[in-house]
Amino acid sequence: MNAEEVYLDIGIKIHLRQWLPKHHPDSHLRSYLLLHGLSSNARTWDQVAERLCTAGHQVAAIDQRGHGLSEKPDSGYDFATVTRDLQLVIQQLAWDDPVLVGQSWGGNVLLEHAARYPGTAREYIFVDGGFLNLGDRGSWEQIKVELRPPDLAGMPLKLITEHIRSAHPDWSEEGIQGTLGNFEVLPDQTVKPWLTLEHHLEILKAMYDQDPPALYPKIKEPILICAADDGGARMPVKREQVKAAADGLKKAEVIWFPNAAHDIHVDQPEQLTKAILAFQT
């Protein structure tokens, strides 16, 4: 894995992690670009990226603006700007027909990207995202209270690590360390989220204003929806949203992952990688 910075001509720096296969025995080499979710980071994709690379494909994962080791400008957290960031990264990589994979908010970024930049990607893969429709959950005033992130600034690194391990006892150490990449570790061994609360709420508002059903008919590329079934109380709503996406998109397949966390890529990396590799239209 190589880590590097991509300088976009709009004046910001995007951090990128890249995996290049040592050899690819046939002509079926693919290029996979992976997007994380809200308040997450590129390292959460490491387990999937390594498996895709082992299968002979080139892979990259980026920290989206405001996240991880990428720059954190004061503005630009709307879908028009973040999809332009993504398009510029693709152009800099000079990849033909990449497969774009996005988790949670990252999936909704890809939904918007597919509508705004048709013909760029070979396929899109939405990982428990892309179908998220916050407008179904009530008013913006309700949403910004309900989905406001907890204030974790100042929490000891040891404590938050223990919390992640307790909440997800089956996660690998690589997955836990990747998730800890959501935070800056300060000299006193406390943490601070890389994404500020202000920018977190700006992204939530952009998601609230997005109208996924209006975007579905605009997308021509094949879509794979990988959805987590955690058995929670909101599963009926999620199933309705996934069905609306599958019905509204021109070419869509759905795979449900039983007993999976929202972070399927961390929770079930082997199963998710197999689904990604099998989806070749």
Side-chain angles (χ1 to χ4, degrees):
M1 190 282 298
N2 298 315
E4 59 185 272
E5 313 297 339
V6 176
Y7 293 88
L8 306 184
D9 62 12
I10 54 175
I12 74 163
K13 179 179 65 178
I14 295 294
H15 182 74
L16 178 143
R17 297 167 69 80
Q18 190 166 12
W19 293 257
L20 299 175
K22 294 181 180 179
H23 58 84
H24 44 93
D26 53 41
S27 61
H28 299 294
L29 173 70
R30 287 187 164 214
S31 303
Y32 291 93
L33 181 55
L34 315 176
L35 293 188
H36 61 75
L38 178 57
S39 286
S40 188
N41 81 103
R43 288 177 57 194
T44 58
W45 281 108
D46 281 4
Q47 296 176 93
V48 171
E50 288 160 4
R51 287 169 168 84
L52 290 172
C53 184
T54 298
H57 305 287
Q58 58 183 352
V59 188
I62 65 171
D63 288 327
Q64 299 196 71
R65 68 166 55 209
H67 293 76
L69 301 181
S70 287
E71 285 194 282
K72 299 161 181 65
D74 293 334
S75 62
Y77 296 91
D78 56 286
F79 280 108
T81 305
V82 295
T83 55
R84 182 177 58 175
D85 289 349
L86 174 59
Q87 186 69 6
L88 291 173
V89 169
I90 294 169
Q91 291 172 1
Q92 292 239 16
L93 287 170
W95 285 357
D96 292 327
D97 295 327
V99 179
L100 304 185
V101 186
Q103 189 264 340
S104 191
W105 165 61
N108 281 58
V109 172
L110 293 188
L111 173 67
E112 191 85 24
H113 180 271
R116 290 176 178 268
Y117 299 96
T120 298
R122 177 193 298 255
E123 298 153 354
Y124 289 88
I125 299 177
F126 299 163
V127 180
D128 224 35
F131 54 82
L132 301 176
N133 189 354
L134 296 190
D136 284 348
R137 297 183 65 152
S139 69
W140 167 239
E141 294 303 316
Q142 293 173 302
I143 296 298
K144 72 178 182 180
V145 172
E146 179 184 346
L147 299 183
R148 183 186 180 94
D151 184 6
L152 300 178
M155 179 178 287
L157 173 63
K158 181 179 179 180
L159 185 60
I160 199 164
T161 303
E162 291 172 353
H163 174 74
I164 295 171
R165 287 201 174 107
S166 175
H168 303 285
D170 296 331
W171 282 13
S172 69
E173 187 61 25
E174 188 174 12
I176 291 169
Q177 293 302 317
T179 302
L180 289 171
N182 298 342
F183 305 95
E184 178 184 7
V185 180
L186 303 178
D188 64 356
Q189 292 301 292
T190 62
V191 303
K192 181 175 73 172
W194 287 113
L195 184 69
T196 67
L197 174 61
E198 177 186 3
H199 295 154
H200 188 113
L201 292 176
E202 288 175 3
I203 292 171
L204 277 181
K205 184 59 165 61
M207 291 184 71
Y208 180 79
D209 291 337
Q210 188 185 43
D211 184 2
L215 297 176
Y216 297 149
K218 299 180 180 181
I219 299 171
K220 298 179 181 180
E221 291 79 10
I223 307 281
L224 174 65
I225 300 173
C226 298
D229 185 349
D230 62 4
R234 290 196 58 82
M235 280 306 303
V237 174
K238 176 186 272 191
R239 288 191 177 278
E240 289 180 5
Q241 291 188 350
V242 170
K243 184 178 185 303
D247 291 345
L249 292 162
K250 290 181 171 64
K251 303 175 184 177
E253 297 180 22
V254 178
I255 298 177
W256 285 95
F257 288 73
N259 305 311
H262 179 50
D263 295 318
I264 304 174
H265 58 318
V266 181
D267 189 58
Q268 297 185 12
E270 182 70 28
Q271 297 92 319
L272 179 60
T273 304
K274 287 180 179 178
I276 291 172
L277 290 173
F279 186 66
Q280 298 194 13
T281 57

